[in-house]
Amino acid sequence: MQDYINQFSPYQIIVPFLALIMIMKAVSRFRRSEQTWRELITWVLVWGAVGFFALFPEISDKFANFVGIKSGANAIITAALVILFYVVFKILVMTENLEGKITKLNRSMALYRFFKKEESHFDEKEVNHNQSHD
Amino acid sequence: MKLAIIIPAYNEEKVIGHVVQNLPKKLEGISDIQIIVVNDGSQDKTSRVAEEAGALVISHFINLGAGAATQTGFDAAVTLGVDIIATFDGDGQHHSEDIQKLIQPIVEQRVDVVSGSRFLRKQKIPAMRRLFNGVGNLITYLLSGIWMTDSQTGMRAFSREAVEQMEIHVNGYEFCSEIVREISYLNLRYTEIPIRVTYNTYTKKKGQNFATGLQTVTKLAIRSLMR
């Protein structure tokens, strides 16, 4: 057993352990409905991959060979960059959409208030007009 | 024909009253003029000053940008049933005498959009603004295929039909370029006319500067990527 554990470097034990904690945290947040399905799946996949590649670094080398990158570490960093770019782009789209929604809400409220005021001005004028005729 | 003059304004209490009062009360071919100031979440007394000067005032709760304010003005003008909609800057850089010339091609139903150009006549314009406008023109040309001598102008006139068809989704100054893109996309008839501008210390502070210019360019680029 001791020999078996000695095969692992500290990195191979700490990182998967950390990944496991992160996944557990995500699950508990999801259970408390603080997270959506999509967030949970993304979190589990990302941390799952981190833990998995830390535990089995030779697999990342195979993956690197497969995609034509020199070493496993490089392949992971490249993949992480691609994912990060995607996430940043997603966030950008989300903030744009949010800005659009806030604009729509704000403009509709302004227009609603304006026409309501105009309407009451018109009513007032009509009342005054009718009163002067009476 | 009825005309609405839309003035987007953000913190313009010092000049907005003067701008509104100076606008023409009568124009050839126009039976009714509505002045609509869109107060874009100003923290000063822009709204009150404009109202006292005789304008209809629509107030955004928060500051959204000149593009959003213009859109709100467009919506109000269309609901009020006007036939021609003109936009005019709230900082006092435009001359109200140019409005007749601006709307004339639409009154005569020759075009759908008239763009007032600061660069079709010789006048004093700061070098930085000229440079900035040149870049703006180039980007607008790349995105729309239309070359305008003043793509970033705040003084334009539209037929109601044109406004009803146009879809502007941007809030900031990039709406100037979006309008040109819509002109191209919807195949609207357009023309440019020379207008006068006055640049003083106040107007120089307002409008687009280098920083907002960069922001405008970035947003336009992202928008076109996301389409």
Side-chain angles (χ1 to χ4, degrees):
Chain A
M1 182 69 184
Q2 191 66 38
D3 286 349
Y4 184 70
I5 290 173
N6 281 345
Q7 283 176 18
F8 291 98
S9 61
Y11 164 81
Q12 275 176 295
I13 297 165
I14 296 167
V15 174
F17 184 66
L18 195 79
L20 195 69
I21 292 175
M22 288 310 216
I23 290 172
M24 274 162 60
K25 270 182 87 169
V27 172
S28 96
R29 270 214 301 268
F30 176 74
R31 279 194 181 160
R32 278 178 279 143
S33 357
E34 286 169 18
Q35 233 177 13
T36 61
W37 263 111
R38 224 169 55 183
E39 282 166 346
L40 175 73
I41 291 168
T42 318
W43 212 236
V44 170
L45 282 179
V46 168
W47 282 106
V50 169
F52 181 77
F53 284 121
L55 212 51
F56 310 107
E58 61 282 357
I59 291 178
S60 72
D61 286 333
K62 274 182 196 155
F63 171 68
N65 274 337
F66 176 70
V67 289
I69 298 170
K70 267 186 186 167
S71 76
N74 281 352
I76 290 173
I77 289 168
T78 313
L81 269 179
V82 170
I83 292 168
L84 273 179
F85 271 121
Y86 175 74
V87 171
V88 169
F89 185 72
K90 266 289 213 203
I91 291 173
L92 204 73
V93 173
M94 264 168 60
T95 42
E96 282 268 327
N97 283 343
L98 257 177
E99 197 184 285
K101 280 179 190 167
I102 292 172
T103 303
K104 208 171 163 184
L105 179 73
N106 198 342
R107 289 190 37 224
S108 324
M109 276 164 80
L111 282 165
Y112 175 78
R113 213 167 53 158
F114 170 70
F115 282 109
K116 195 127 191 168
K117 203 167 83 181
E118 281 301 297
E119 221 171 70
S120 64
H121 270 236
F122 180 75
D123 288 346
E124 253 172 51
K125 270 188 207 162
E126 207 163 55
V127 169
N128 290 341
H129 181 75
N130 288 344
Q131 275 173 353
S132 64
H133 274 261
D134 292 342
Chain B
M1 274 184 159
K2 290 181 184 173
L3 166 75
I5 302 172
I6 295 164
I7 311 174
Y10 177 58
N11 290 343
E12 305 275 18
E13 64 175 2
K14 282 184 193 146
V15 289
I16 194 76
H18 186 68
V19 170
V20 170
Q21 276 162 356
N22 260 358
L23 286 172
K25 309 282 175 290
K26 265 187 183 171
L27 287 166
E28 263 176 62
I30 300 295
S31 57
D32 182 44
I33 302 172
Q34 301 272 15
I35 299 164
I36 304 173
V37 169
V38 184
N39 165 32
D40 191 22
S42 301
Q43 280 108 37
D44 64 2
K45 293 178 198 131
T46 300
S47 169
R48 217 175 68 199
V49 176
E51 217 157 29
E52 280 166 7
L56 297 170
V57 178
I58 309 175
S59 286
H60 284 168
F61 291 83
I62 51 171
N63 179 245
L64 294 173
T70 308
Q71 264 296 99
T72 303
F74 281 168
D75 285 352
V78 167
T79 314
L80 288 171
V82 303
D83 306 289
I84 302 173
I85 299 161
T87 58
F88 199 82
D89 275 5
D91 59 4
Q93 65 163 285
H94 293 146
H95 290 236
S96 55
E97 302 84 31
D98 286 331
I99 292 181
Q100 182 71 59
K101 256 196 312 177
L102 186 80
I103 60 165
Q104 202 56 36
I106 300 179
V107 172
E108 292 166 8
Q109 297 186 342
R110 282 190 281 123
V111 296
D112 307 299
V113 183
V114 184
S115 207
S117 171
R118 295 164 283 180
F119 303 99
L120 279 178
R121 56 180 296 151
K122 270 198 167 175
Q123 57 189 334
K124 259 192 176 174
I125 294 172
M128 207 51 200
R129 295 268 159 144
R130 278 183 192 274
L131 175 76
F132 179 80
N133 201 72
V135 176
N137 288 351
L138 188 69
I139 292 165
T140 308
Y141 174 70
L142 292 175
L143 294 175
S144 69
I146 293 179
W147 179 261
M148 286 221 173
T149 59
D150 191 354
S151 60
Q152 308 301 305
T153 182
M155 193 169 178
R156 286 193 168 114
F158 307 83
S159 67
R160 190 177 73 211
E161 292 74 25
V163 165
E164 279 172 336
Q165 287 177 66
M166 284 192 309
E167 278 182 42
I168 312 264
H169 299 289
V170 288
N171 288 358
Y173 281 109
E174 61 273 25
F175 87 101
C176 294
S177 302
E178 277 253 321
I179 285 177
V180 183
R181 211 207 50 222
E182 286 293 297
I183 292 173
S184 153
Y185 178 67
L186 298 167
N187 238 335
L188 298 173
R189 297 167 300 162
Y190 69 95
T191 187
E192 278 191 299
I193 58 136
I195 55 162
R196 277 164 291 176
V197 273
T198 307
Y199 281 104
N200 50 39
T201 39
Y202 184 81
T203 52
K204 271 188 210 163
K205 252 193 270 168
K206 293 277 177 171
Q208 298 198 72
N209 54 36
F210 192 69
T212 57
L214 270 184
Q215 231 175 27
T216 305
V217 171
T218 321
K219 281 197 176 174
L220 273 174
I222 291 171
R223 277 257 149 211
S224 5
L225 277 176
M226 273 163 58
R227 258 169 199 282

